[in-house]
Amino acid sequence: MRFKVLGPLEVTTAADARTVTPRAAKVRVVLSTLLVRPNEVVSVDGLIDELWSEQPPRTAMTTLQVYISQLRKLLQDVQPDLGRDALLTRAPGYLLRVDAGQLDLAVFEDLHRQGREALAEGDHATAADLQRQALALWRGPLLSDTPHGSLLKSMSVRLTEARLAALEQRVRAELQLGRHQEVLGELQALTTELPLHEDFHAHLMVALYRTGRQADALRTFGELRRTLVRELAIEPGRRLQQLHSRILTGDPSLLEPAAQRQQRLTADRQPAAALAEPTRTTPLKPARFPSADPLFTGRKNQLEQLTRWLRDRPGGCVQVTGPAGMGKTALAVSAAHRMAELFPDGRVLVGLRDETGHPLPGARVLHAVLRALGADGQQPRSAAALRDAVHRLTEGRRLLLVLDDAVDADQLSPLLPLPAGCTALVTCRPVLSGFDGPVLPLEELSSADARELLLTSYSRRPAPYPGIDAPSENSSGDRLGNTGHNGYDGYNGYTDEEYSDATGEPGTAPGESDTRDVWDRLADQCGRFPGALRVVAQHLTFHPHHSPADIATRLSAAASRPATLRALDEEYGRSLYAAYAAAPEEVRQAARLLSLLPSGPFTTTAAAVALGVPEENAQLSVQSLVTAGLVVSSPDGTAHRFPELQRLTAGEALGEEQPTLVRAALTRLSGAAAEQAETAQHAARVEGLHPLDWFTRRREDLVALLDQVHDAGLWAQTVRLADAMTAFLEALAAWDVWGHTHSLALDAAGQLTDEAARARLLRSLGDLAWQRQRPDEARELYERVLASPDAVSTERSRALAGLADVHLGEGAGTVAAGLVTPTLLRTPGDTRGCFEAHRVLGLHTLAAEGPSAAESHFRQCLALAGTLGDRRLETYARRWLGRLRDGAVHPGWTEVRPGVWRGRRESRVQAEAGAGVRSPRRPQGSSPRRELPSLR
């Protein structure tokens, strides 16, 4: 019996080719579903879903059993001996046994696989023939006469892509054989049918160029580019742009297919033809080694170390490791050029992935090495014979083999070690165990090197398209015209001396400083990965209408940065994702959860918190990430680091994680962060820093964590983390962050219906509004606290003191005193409230009656601050007592709250420098920003 699904469903007998295809549509659906998953169990639920989608009848199970019975009868009638045993019941569904030769789908996939392997081995004639046979099996769209449910639809999409891949690989092989004239018409039809398919357009460009139609080849590129920009708002990929440049410059090497010579050798070869026995006297004809990269920048120390190893350790194996896009290949090629005289028999670069990006298996690595060394004729089939052929060809020679992008030790074990005198320089992501020799780990470029690479790559590119000039090396980063800064053609308001004040550098105009800033920002956004830096520079060159500031804006959102880089260059985006995708699921899960940690180094303890496991288990998980090339550990193993783009790539995949696990991890991380911030408020030093300096360093990460916690709906954790940050934000006058975090926390408190927390946060936001010279907003927030029946006495007292401060600012001191006096009478046990009341009364009395009358209130403040154990408040009271005692009260300024100064007449001092606090004319002896409870 024969089954055909590549077109209308067709079932025929093997003996007489009689058609026995079921007529009933539902029976055809069941048979088709089983055929597209041959020799696999298809669940009952899957079959019911395929038959009736989301609306199965009540008798679905019984009806399905009837269809299965009809199929069994059909199979038994056609093939009595084996028919009933072909369709088996296997929990949780059914399995259809089909030999590979019985099903056209299986034959297609096998031929396609063989053709792909032949193409990778350089046997283009065989590849073209196999793919042609595979394509001939298609009679139309998959199961075109059968209704499609979800499974058949997904299979149709997958197999349509497989058919296009077979077609593309057949065309590629034909072009390598020099048959550009024969495929030209077919390619023109394909590009019309598939106007967004870059590979077919690339093949058409090559075919046109080789037939002497350079202008048509360039026009093809232009039409594709316009279509991509119009339909998808993207540019052609990097490889197509490079092909365009080669055609534009009339590259003669593109005229002759690289495999034409091999095609002549293999066209009429007999199966018995074998690889000639090479010896050390056989002349090598290695493939051309890549030229030195003119844009290679930085890596001075690593390059010197690598060349030293190649010079001092002839033979053996040297590894260069690091994440994708770290510049491993460029470094290896540069080192090979420096050490060219040490390898008189040649240097060879061998890529260890096929054209689809999949790693070559060990035997195909040997094939690739033989081809790179210039071996002619048919190659041996067995791995042992291939290894012997490589060793015979390399023995007694001084060769450097650069083995690029190795995946694991198994991939190279058939090849290594090489004979004495031959050196293998391997680039890989993780360290490959089992090979003796030094390892050079690569990390991100330094800030200076990253900036230099970005500018160098940007300024040295050729013109992207005819009629569009590439920017010169000294062009403005913002693509300004000739009208001056930001297009303004007039006096810019700065003197030469003021340039220095505005930028921090003498003689530097603000626009120039902005340009430098945007390049540095781009370098940081690219994680200082060489690959990402080149992608950005190339995009800017090929898109003259985009400025560096435009790209920096697109890259500013960290969560979407990997997607943005993919949009700039799809190939680089895939390589960035490859290390994560290749790791086992448990490693990927650890990467996803660890991506919740802030950027920068992290400890095993922090990893244990994120993963929710003991530290010893967390250490094993981190080590597995190091092995996968996703994380870098310090030499002593105490600190680890997620390279930023790898961290963001793993974070992008958080959607794959179970929401409960993500919420649990965020709960643990926010709890640990809040506890650390709460402890830091009462510590003299935190991680060797003053607490305010520690918080300043951690602020961005803590805000990002609070955003994540709020987005996850973890309301209690949001409130706690915001509360832990309050004292720091107030002491640093970090108004924007204060407002952002406490607004989120206020929303979270509302979700919790925690009225006490709402009152506390409303009072804090009222303090913020008061500091920002927004009296109406502050008054409204304080009054909301007072209107809350669940506000604790301390918050009510502090809200009253806040309202009093508003009235003091308006010159209504008597009203202010009347607001806070009841606190002293009604709630004498509210220590903080009594402090605030005496503070307000002291300020009012000072203005109304003089220093001697105010002194008693500030003495009360000092005593109450001591009871609270709050050194910031205690220092504030001591400062006031000193001023009153020494007669040093400033005539124009008053320290209303600790570190917050206001003019005696508010109308004169409206928000200087956008603030209205800590005036630049603050009296000597007043406290700077370092004021935080319990810090002094």
Side-chain angles (χ1 to χ4, degrees):
M1 187 175 293
R2 298 285 185 268
F3 302 96
K4 296 180 180 180
V5 297
L6 302 180
L9 177 64
E10 188 174 310
V11 184
T12 59
T13 59
D16 53 6
R18 178 168 48 92
T19 299
V20 291
T21 308
R23 294 184 179 180
K26 295 293 189 185
V27 177
R28 289 205 310 274
V29 170
V30 175
L31 177 59
S32 299
T33 306
L34 294 168
L35 285 172
V36 297
R37 293 179 60 181
N39 305 307
E40 295 181 25
V41 175
V42 180
S43 70
V44 168
D45 289 342
L47 288 167
I48 290 176
D49 182 64
E50 197 68 25
L51 285 163
W52 296 287
S53 187
E54 297 179 357
Q55 296 178 329
R58 287 180 301 166
T59 59
M61 180 70 74
T62 302
T63 306
L64 174 61
Q65 291 171 349
V66 171
Y67 297 154
I68 292 293
S69 177
Q70 292 177 9
L71 284 176
R72 281 179 171 151
K73 184 177 185 302
L74 170 66
L75 295 171
Q76 190 173 20
D77 288 346
V78 174
Q79 204 168 359
D81 296 337
L82 302 175
R84 180 159 290 275
D85 294 333
L87 182 51
L88 305 176
T89 302
R90 290 284 185 271
Y94 301 96
L95 178 148
L96 180 62
R97 287 179 175 173
V98 180
D99 292 337
Q102 290 181 278
L103 178 63
D104 61 349
L105 172 59
V107 176
F108 165 77
E109 291 181 326
D110 184 56
L111 288 170
H112 179 37
R113 176 188 57 79
Q114 292 182 52
R116 186 171 61 245
E117 292 177 354
L119 185 64
E121 293 171 3
D123 190 348
H124 301 97
T126 302
D129 183 58
L130 289 169
Q131 299 293 11
R132 193 177 296 108
Q133 294 179 47
L135 292 166
L137 295 171
W138 283 80
R139 298 168 291 112
L142 179 78
L143 296 163
S144 55
D145 63 343
T146 302
H148 287 201
S150 57
L151 188 147
L152 290 181
K153 285 179 181 176
S154 64
M155 286 297 297
S156 178
V157 171
R158 184 181 76 81
L159 290 171
T160 299
E161 288 299 316
R163 179 180 176 276
L164 284 176
L167 182 56
E168 188 275 328
Q169 290 165 23
R170 197 217 85 212
V171 170
R172 184 186 301 272
E174 300 272 19
L175 287 173
Q176 290 286 8
L177 294 169
R179 300 172 185 169
H180 35 269
Q181 191 69 55
E182 290 88 335
V183 300
L184 186 56
E186 182 182 12
L187 283 169
Q188 289 172 327
L190 284 169
T191 53
T192 301
E193 180 186 352
L194 303 166
L196 301 178
H197 200 293
E198 293 195 15
D199 284 339
F200 286 132
H201 280 82
H203 296 326
L204 177 58
M205 289 167 64
V206 170
L208 288 168
Y209 181 64
R210 288 178 179 170
T211 54
R213 297 166 62 180
Q214 181 184 23
D216 289 338
L218 295 173
R219 188 177 299 109
T220 297
F221 177 85
E223 291 171 355
L224 172 63
R225 178 175 180 266
R226 284 190 293 273
T227 301
L228 290 173
V229 170
R230 183 178 64 251
E231 298 291 334
L232 304 175
I234 62 173
E235 292 283 340
R238 180 166 53 185
R239 285 188 294 183
L240 199 63
Q241 292 177 4
Q242 291 170 344
L243 175 62
H244 172 265
S245 296
R246 294 178 67 187
I247 294 174
L248 186 64
T249 57
D251 186 349
S253 65
L254 194 60
L255 289 170
E256 183 178 7
Q260 200 164 48
R261 181 171 57 86
Q262 180 187 0
Q263 190 265 337
R264 289 196 302 271
L265 293 170
T266 59
D268 301 317
R269 70 183 179 197
Q270 298 300 318
L275 183 70
E277 291 288 328
T279 67
R280 61 180 297 177
T281 60
T282 302
L284 288 182
K285 294 167 284 184
R288 182 172 176 268
F289 194 72
S291 303
D293 186 353
L295 302 180
F296 183 79
T297 303
R299 304 287 194 205
K300 178 180 178 182
N301 294 337
Q302 294 93 332
L303 186 58
E304 289 178 354
Q305 178 65 74
L306 187 55
T307 54
R308 190 180 309 118
W309 283 338
L310 294 176
R311 182 180 62 249
D312 299 342
R313 302 169 60 95
C317 176
V318 178
Q319 297 183 48
V320 179
T321 65
M326 202 57 75
K328 301 182 293 292
T329 304
L331 178 67
V333 170
S334 295
H337 278 285
R338 280 200 177 189
M339 295 290 101
E341 71 280 1
L342 294 180
F343 303 101
D345 291 309
R347 296 153 296 151
V348 177
L349 177 69
V350 182
L352 300 181
R353 292 182 184 270
D354 62 20
E355 292 183 348
T356 63
H358 294 96
L360 299 177
R364 288 178 60 187
V365 169
L366 294 168
H367 278 291
V369 171
L370 283 173
R371 286 199 313 276
L373 292 173
D376 292 331
Q378 185 178 5
Q379 297 179 1
R381 291 293 179 185
S382 72
L386 285 166
R387 178 185 174 89
D388 289 343
V390 170
H391 280 228
R392 283 193 300 269
L393 202 58
T394 56
E395 190 174 8
R397 303 184 192 271
R398 295 179 64 184
L399 282 165
L400 176 64
L401 263 63
V402 180
L403 304 173
D404 188 38
D405 205 5
V407 176
D408 52 36
D410 291 341
Q411 189 182 29
L412 295 182
S413 56
L415 173 65
L416 302 181
L418 294 169
C422 294
T423 300
L425 177 53
V426 181
T427 70
C428 48
R429 290 165 190 166
V431 177
L432 306 185
S433 59
F435 301 117
D436 293 333
V439 175
L440 179 65
L442 285 191
E443 297 185 1
E444 298 91 331
L445 291 170
S446 67
S447 296
D449 285 346
R451 187 174 187 281
E452 182 182 353
L453 175 59
L454 193 58
L455 287 171
T456 302
S457 302
Y458 176 60
S459 60
R460 293 187 184 176
R461 295 282 181 181
Y465 306 112
I468 301 178
D469 295 329
S472 62
E473 188 162 354
N474 62 353
S475 64
S476 166
D478 286 321
R479 302 292 206 301
L480 304 179
N482 296 324
T483 56
H485 182 63
N486 287 339
Y488 175 65
D489 188 13
Y491 175 61
N492 58 23
Y494 286 92
T495 65
D496 290 342
E497 182 178 339
E498 287 170 326
Y499 280 151
S500 176
D501 295 335
T503 67
E505 297 183 26
T508 302
E512 296 170 355
S513 176
D514 292 345
T515 299
R516 275 197 301 277
D517 289 345
V518 80
W519 292 116
D520 292 336
R521 190 161 75 252
L522 280 171
D524 289 339
Q525 289 170 337
C526 291
R528 304 197 306 279
F529 276 41
L533 294 167
R534 292 192 181 205
V535 164
V536 168
Q538 175 182 275
H539 180 86
L540 288 169
T541 299
F542 281 91
H543 300 75
H545 55 290
H546 287 171
S547 73
D550 294 334
I551 305 303
T553 300
R554 291 177 63 181
L555 292 170
S556 59
S560 60
R561 198 168 295 157
T564 302
L565 288 171
R566 277 198 301 276
L568 297 181
D569 190 303
E570 185 178 354
E571 184 178 347
Y572 177 75
R574 284 197 302 267
S575 71
L576 192 63
Y577 187 75
Y580 168 82
E585 171 54 26
E586 61 271 16
V587 176
R588 294 200 301 272
Q589 183 181 68
R592 292 193 292 269
L593 294 179
L594 290 181
S595 73
L596 295 170
L597 291 170
S599 59
F602 62 91
T603 63
T604 304
T605 302
V609 173
L611 298 174
V613 298
E615 285 198 29
E616 53 269 23
N617 293 9
Q619 183 65 47
L620 294 175
S621 294
V622 171
Q623 185 54 50
S624 67
L625 287 163
V626 172
T627 302
L630 295 173
V631 166
V632 178
S633 288
S634 62
D636 59 4
T638 58
H640 321 285
R641 192 172 53 78
F642 225 150
E644 184 64 2
L645 290 183
Q646 296 285 11
R647 184 182 74 84
L648 294 176
T649 299
E652 189 182 40
L654 269 175
E656 304 171 10
E657 192 54 81
Q658 300 177 37
T660 54
L661 292 179
V662 177
R663 287 170 57 86
L666 286 172
T667 299
R668 293 189 298 270
L669 289 170
S670 61
E675 183 177 357
Q676 189 177 24
E678 291 160 354
T679 303
Q681 295 180 31
H682 307 285
R685 310 290 288 179
V686 183
E687 298 176 359
L689 300 171
H690 186 284
L692 287 174
D693 291 329
W694 168 83
F695 180 81
T696 299
R697 180 175 292 184
R698 290 289 313 278
R699 182 172 70 184
E700 185 176 342
D701 295 333
L702 289 171
V703 173
L705 178 58
L706 187 140
D707 286 340
Q708 289 179 294
V709 171
H710 181 269
D711 289 345
L714 299 170
W715 311 126
Q717 290 78 8
T718 303
V719 171
R720 183 188 176 190
L721 187 54
D723 281 339
M725 298 166 65
T726 301
F728 294 101
L729 297 173
E730 183 177 351
L732 292 166
W735 293 344
D736 290 340
V737 176
W738 186 352
H740 172 73
T741 56
H742 284 57
S743 295
L744 292 181
L746 181 63
D747 173 67
Q751 299 288 343
L752 290 169
T753 63
D754 184 344
E755 292 303 319
R758 275 179 53 81
R760 184 171 65 252
L761 291 159
L762 284 168
R763 192 269 310 157
S764 179
L765 289 169
D767 290 346
L768 171 62
W770 176 81
Q771 285 200 22
R772 302 183 87 164
Q773 296 279 42
R774 298 172 180 174
D776 292 339
E777 181 183 342
R779 181 183 287 110
E780 189 267 337
L781 289 164
Y782 289 138
E783 289 175 349
R784 287 173 65 185
V785 177
L786 297 173
S788 172
D790 296 314
V792 297
S793 61
T794 298
E795 296 306 329
R796 295 180 65 83
S797 299
R798 295 185 69 178
L800 282 169
L803 274 176
D805 283 331
V806 173
H807 286 292
L808 282 175
E810 295 171 345
T814 303
V815 176
L819 286 170
V820 298
T821 299
T823 299
L824 301 176
L825 301 175
R826 297 173 186 169
T827 55
D830 180 3
T831 307
R832 179 61 189 267
C834 289
F835 174 93
E836 296 295 342
H838 279 294
R839 175 185 63 78
V840 172
L841 290 170
L843 295 171
H844 168 60
T845 305
L846 174 64
E849 303 177 30
S852 59
E855 185 174 352
S856 62
H857 289 293
F858 285 110
R859 287 196 181 280
Q860 288 291 332
C861 284
L862 181 61
L864 292 165
T867 302
L868 288 169
D870 191 323
R871 284 178 287 176
R872 180 183 67 144
L873 300 183
E874 188 175 348
T875 303
Y876 170 76
R878 288 186 187 280
R879 283 198 299 270
W880 264 116
L881 289 170
R883 295 182 193 117
L884 296 172
R885 183 182 61 250
D886 300 336
V889 177
H890 195 279
W893 293 90
T894 299
E895 188 181 9
V896 183
R897 295 185 185 181
V900 181
W901 289 78
R902 288 288 168 86
R904 290 289 177 85
R905 293 183 182 177
E906 284 294 317
S907 60
R908 289 176 42 223
V909 287
Q910 294 295 322
E912 284 194 41
V917 294
R918 301 188 185 91
S919 165
R921 296 172 184 152
R922 185 192 300 115
Q924 290 186 354
S926 63
S927 174
R929 69 176 179 85
R930 293 183 180 277
E931 297 190 274
L932 194 66
S934 304
L935 291 184
R936 293 192 180 278

